[in-house]
Amino acid sequence: MAIQTASVAGAPARVEPRAWPLSERRRHPRPHFAGKLRYWEVPAGGNPSRLYTRLKRLLDIAGGLVLVVLSLPITLTAFLILCVTTRGRPLFRQPRVGACGRLFTLYKFRTMVLDAERVQHAVENEHRGPIFKNRRDPRITRFGALLRKLSIDELPQLINVLRGDMSLVGPRPPLESEVLRYENWQLRRLCVKPGLTCLWQVSGRSEIGFEQWVRMDLWYIDRQSLRLDLTLLVRTPLSVLSCRGAY
């Protein structure tokens, strides 16, 4: 089944999913779930060029440092306001699944009430698949809604980029509980480093269903290049300012 996707760097209007035989899969240890060490098979993917890998890392470091400096006034202002409104707990830390199933701690500005995860069961999920989204989630604070609308809540993830857990461009990092519900073909989105921005990020974000979101990630993985990364980075600011799908 073909899907509709945005046109980026010459991408066709419709993208056909690709089947990957077992011979092209790599075996990696699955993170520790529910007290059992399990395994998944992550299909091979991404740009294998050493030159691309090194240039992408240089771009992450240089771009990350520039963004840290440019966003410092906004980051400090948000941090100070959150220190007051969250009783001194402005940062939200959460385990996420990175490249090849490796766990890392993701950083965000806190946008929900302190017991948000405990009361999630009382909020309706408006999306199908292994993601949780609600446009009017009552757990989101007023200031948190503003941070989400402008994607300011994600600025602390520049720490993850500089540490090497994430890249500036790549699929968004999923939760452990989400990965456990993936279908086999969806695991291939884990074969590259997760990123701050991606094709999904500049194409409507939460307005896009999960299956189409994954296919967008796979389209990026199949065509990964420095030119495509730069194209997505250039498109990101306008996407953020449009606030489309940001909730």
Side-chain angles (χ1 to χ4, degrees):
M1 180 179 66
I3 64 164
Q4 295 287 345
T5 186
S7 178
V8 174
R14 299 176 72 81
V15 179
E16 297 289 342
R18 297 173 61 181
W20 290 83
L22 288 174
S23 60
E24 296 186 33
R25 296 183 177 183
R26 297 178 302 204
R27 198 165 179 81
H28 299 283
R30 170 168 280 194
H32 201 271
F33 290 109
K36 296 181 180 179
L37 186 64
R38 304 180 182 181
Y39 290 84
W40 64 45
E41 286 183 332
V42 178
N47 190 331
S49 167
R50 289 187 179 181
L51 178 60
Y52 168 73
T53 302
R54 291 173 181 173
L55 290 176
K56 186 176 177 68
R57 183 58 186 152
L58 287 175
L59 177 63
D60 288 341
I61 295 173
L65 289 174
V66 169
L67 289 173
V68 166
V69 173
L70 292 179
S71 65
L72 193 58
I74 297 174
T75 302
L76 287 177
T77 301
F79 182 83
L80 292 174
I81 294 175
L82 286 171
C83 278
V84 175
T85 59
T86 63
R87 306 173 197 169
R89 297 168 65 182
L91 287 180
F92 178 68
R93 301 171 179 85
Q94 190 176 52
R96 294 292 181 102
V97 181
C100 299
R102 297 183 182 91
L103 286 177
F104 70 96
T105 301
L106 178 136
Y107 299 95
K108 295 182 69 174
F109 278 134
R110 191 177 296 276
T111 60
M112 292 186 174
V113 295
L114 295 178
D115 61 345
E117 292 180 303
R118 184 176 62 83
V119 298
Q120 178 175 308
H121 67 278
V123 182
E124 180 184 0
N125 186 7
E126 297 179 345
H127 276 251
R128 293 182 178 181
I131 55 173
F132 189 94
K133 295 285 184 181
N134 185 297
R135 186 181 295 272
R136 298 177 180 83
D137 196 323
R139 300 172 299 163
I140 300 175
T141 64
R142 289 186 179 181
F143 186 59
L146 176 63
L147 296 181
R148 286 187 172 216
K149 187 175 183 179
L150 298 175
S151 296
I152 295 173
D153 62 316
E154 296 180 358
L155 287 177
Q157 289 167 41
L158 290 171
I159 298 173
N160 293 118
V161 173
L162 293 175
R163 289 177 56 178
D165 301 322
M166 294 175 59
S167 176
L168 290 177
V169 181
R172 293 296 296 157
L175 294 165
E176 301 172 73
S177 57
E178 295 172 348
V179 172
L180 281 175
R181 296 172 59 193
Y182 277 11
E183 297 178 17
N184 287 338
W185 68 272
Q186 295 168 342
L187 290 172
R188 194 158 64 90
R189 76 188 299 260
L190 303 175
C191 70
V192 298
K193 276 187 184 181
L196 273 177
T197 190
C198 56
L199 183 56
W200 169 83
Q201 188 86 9
V202 302
S203 303
R205 286 183 277 188
S206 297
E207 294 180 359
I208 299 171
F210 178 71
E211 185 169 321
Q212 186 175 358
W213 175 1
V214 174
R215 295 194 190 281
M216 286 182 171
D217 288 337
L218 299 187
W219 182 91
Y220 165 77
I221 289 169
D222 291 338
R223 295 158 180 82
Q224 201 176 37
S225 68
L226 199 62
R227 179 181 178 182
L228 180 55
D229 289 343
L230 291 172
T231 300
L232 291 171
L233 285 173
V234 168
R235 290 189 54 181
T236 298
L238 289 177
S239 174
V240 169
L241 291 175
S242 74
C243 301
R244 182 183 172 192
Y247 62 86

